Amino acid sequence: MDQLNLVLREGLTGMRVVRSFDRQEDELKRFDQANQEMTMTAVQVQKIMAAMMPMMMLIMNVATLAVVWFGGLRISHGAMEVGDLMAFIQYAMQIMFSLMMGAMLFIMIPRGQASAQRIQEVLAIKPDISSSTNHQLNKKEIEQTQGLVEFKHVSFYYKGAENPALMDLNFTAVPGETTAIIGGTGSGKSTLLNLIPRFYDVSEGEILIDGINIKNWPIEVLRRKIGYVPQKAVLFTGSVEDNLRFGHDNATDDEIKQAASIAVADEFVRQMKEGYASIVSQGGKNLSGGQKQRLSIARALVRKPPIYLFDDSFSALDYKTDAKLREALITQTQAATCIIVAQRISTVINADKIIVLDDGKVAGIGSHQALMKSCKVYQEIVASQVNKEELA
Ligand code: ADP
Ligand code: MG
């Protein structure tokens, strides 16, 4: 049943891909295979059941017959009343029925056992990341987070991976500055960002916020300090406003509109039929990639946190919107620590500090000018993207 559900769900979510690659036939075959397997099992069970029912009935009726037979003999000898015989038949029936129910249990129990085992397996998993309970932060420290992020000799391995995804990173991201991270795909940019809200814990070294190891922050406090815009924009079913309030429940309408306009989302939201009350369908399917991205940026802005993490959040936007958005962002994020992952040179060129990642290692840190002089990897990235006019 599990297998059947798996195949069915994959077929449904990947419907367009299946169609565009003309794989309906294969998908049908795959479904058929899973279906066949389940059918076989079901048929086998039903066969046993089918044989068992008549057998049970036979035994029951033979038993009744025996009771009547021997009972009749005793009655004719005057050793028993007819009423007693009737009662005896009733008792025998009840016992037989219980036996039949018992037989049914033999089918239900293994089924239940298999499910229970799987549920146990899931429940037994302990989350890797545990919140710090013996932290010594007082309320004041928690309220007044500056947002200074420091990486000290940070290395990180994914579970079961041989090679490190990140190797010996050292840098600081200062409040009021923008720190950009650039590098090829698979160089570890998203991994680096994911370490800050503790989606994963570092393997070696430590990450500090305001000089305190993030492992010593209560996890919900830590995450409240961070406005995270993921690489793949995820929205939830509900109105546009609900989605933006996800960042901060008690935001006023004005704050919501302001965040949306900074994220250049205000305009297209207004043009939707019901403005901010318009419904976002499952997974944001009724919005374009760039629109989703802008809403997810607005969602982080509503929160007004001291630390912003943008994971390649501008890549789905055209150059004009990208430039407009970043200009508006500067005012809102003035006092905050901004860490921006980007692919485009134009996005990072004005950053206070650029970190060039290459295969999990830092290939260079500095401003655009400095890196252009000293960092070969950076020069290559620039050369591959920028034509002279654009740079000017
Ligand atoms: P980037 O964002 O720079 O494109 P990532 O940080 O996503 O790169 O990935 C860096 C490396 O880590 C890649 O080589 C990738 O294969 C590996 N990786 C990413 N996510 C996982 C994961 N969940 N499990 C194992 N390896 C992963
Ligand atoms: Mg990435």
Side-chain angles (χ1 to χ4, degrees):
M1 207 125 122
D2 191 34
Q3 190 63 29
L4 190 74
N5 278 335
L6 184 99
V7 173
L8 190 67
R9 200 174 53 199
E10 255 183 18
L12 281 177
T13 50
M15 185 156 48
R16 301 239 166 85
V17 180
V18 171
R19 280 190 190 153
S20 69
F21 285 90
D22 197 24
R23 306 293 293 195
Q24 282 110 312
E25 293 285 317
D26 301 80
E27 279 301 301
L28 268 180
K29 261 186 224 142
R30 226 155 67 93
F31 179 81
D32 212 40
Q33 210 170 15
N35 201 14
Q36 279 295 338
E37 238 160 80
M38 168 137 158
T39 310
M40 297 275 274
T41 320
V43 165
Q44 226 166 18
V45 170
Q46 290 302 322
K47 264 187 191 158
I48 295 173
M49 282 296 279
M52 210 161 63
M53 283 304 270
M55 270 208 345
M56 282 289 185
M57 293 306 276
L58 189 73
I59 294 172
M60 227 156 81
N61 286 323
V62 169
T64 314
L65 201 67
V67 171
V68 173
W69 179 264
F70 292 109
L73 286 180
R74 298 195 73 177
I75 288 171
S76 70
H77 293 145
M80 196 180 174
E81 306 273 325
V82 177
D84 286 344
L85 180 76
M86 291 313 287
F88 207 88
I89 291 176
Q90 286 295 326
Y91 293 146
M93 282 293 187
Q94 265 182 21
I95 292 168
M96 286 293 185
F97 258 117
S98 320
L99 283 182
M100 214 155 83
M101 287 297 149
M104 295 283 266
L105 275 186
F106 281 105
I107 295 172
M108 306 293 278
I109 285 175
R111 215 188 253 191
Q113 243 173 359
S115 306
Q117 210 169 13
R118 182 77 192 110
I119 291 169
Q120 278 298 334
E121 272 170 25
V122 174
L123 289 181
I125 293 172
K126 292 242 168 3
D128 291 340
I129 312 287
S130 56
S131 183
S132 159
T133 45
N134 59 348
H135 61 91
Q136 281 127 26
L137 303 177
N138 58 38
K139 225 176 161 130
K140 206 165 140 231
E141 279 175 301
I142 288 174
E143 291 300 324
Q144 300 180 338
T145 314
Q146 301 290 313
L148 176 72
V149 179
E150 289 171 86
F151 274 59
K152 286 192 176 163
H153 299 288
V154 170
S155 295
F156 177 71
Y157 294 78
Y158 277 107
K159 246 191 190 148
E162 253 174 55
N163 299 320
L166 295 172
M167 192 68 200
D168 198 28
L169 298 189
N170 289 292
F171 70 88
T172 42
V174 185
E177 286 194 356
T178 302
T179 306
I181 299 166
I182 195 165
T185 46
S187 57
K189 305 182 298 293
S190 299
T191 308
L192 189 160
L193 280 200
N194 286 340
L195 292 180
I196 299 173
R198 286 189 73 197
F199 296 147
Y200 300 100
D201 270 341
V202 295
S203 310
E204 284 156 36
E206 52 183 8
I207 301 173
L208 312 173
I209 290 182
D210 287 1
I212 302 162
N213 192 324
I214 52 171
K215 287 182 184 169
N216 293 334
W217 287 81
I219 207 153
E220 64 286 351
V221 175
L222 171 71
R223 289 182 180 162
R224 227 181 294 141
K225 299 292 172 199
I226 294 172
Y228 174 64
V229 184
Q231 184 161 18
K232 188 168 174 284
V234 176
L235 298 177
F236 298 91
T237 323
S239 68
V240 170
E241 193 185 327
D242 289 342
N243 268 290
L244 296 186
R245 265 184 214 287
F246 209 77
H248 182 48
D249 280 335
N250 302 324
T252 62
D253 288 350
D254 276 344
E255 283 173 321
I256 297 244
K257 292 216 170 77
Q258 199 197 353
S261 75
I262 292 173
V264 206
D266 193 50
E267 203 173 316
F268 83 80
V269 173
R270 270 175 212 280
Q271 280 169 7
M272 287 167 83
K273 223 175 188 176
E274 288 165 67
Y276 284 85
S278 311
I279 294 297
V280 176
S281 62
Q282 195 184 12
K285 282 211 171 70
N286 57 344
L287 296 170
S288 81
Q291 289 171 335
K292 272 191 283 193
Q293 197 80 64
R294 277 179 274 170
L295 285 183
S296 90
I297 293 170
R299 178 173 60 194
L301 291 175
V302 166
R303 190 167 241 196
K304 299 208 172 101
I307 300 168
Y308 287 94
L309 307 177
F310 296 98
D311 192 351
D312 216 350
S313 313
F314 310 106
S315 54
L317 310 177
D318 55 88
Y319 279 95
K320 208 172 117 207
T321 316
D322 181 11
K324 210 157 123 193
L325 195 156
R326 272 181 298 115
E327 200 174 305
L329 261 183
I330 291 171
T331 50
Q332 159 120 20
T333 60
Q334 222 157 31
T337 309
C338 249
I339 304 183
I340 295 180
V341 164
Q343 302 273 356
R344 293 183 195 153
I345 292 293
S346 62
T347 314
V348 305
I349 198 165
N350 293 320
D352 300 286
K353 183 189 284 175
I354 302 170
I355 299 168
V356 185
L357 273 189
D358 185 31
D359 211 8
K361 293 182 215 53
V362 173
I365 296 183
S367 65
H368 173 73
Q369 270 79 17
L371 286 170
M372 277 306 273
K373 285 199 196 94
S374 63
C375 180
K376 197 147 174 292
V377 181
Y378 190 71
Q379 287 164 0
E380 278 166 17
I381 297 173
V382 172
S384 71
Q385 288 187 12
V386 180
N387 52 37
K388 301 267 153 25
E389 300 104 285
E390 216 176 282
L391 199 59

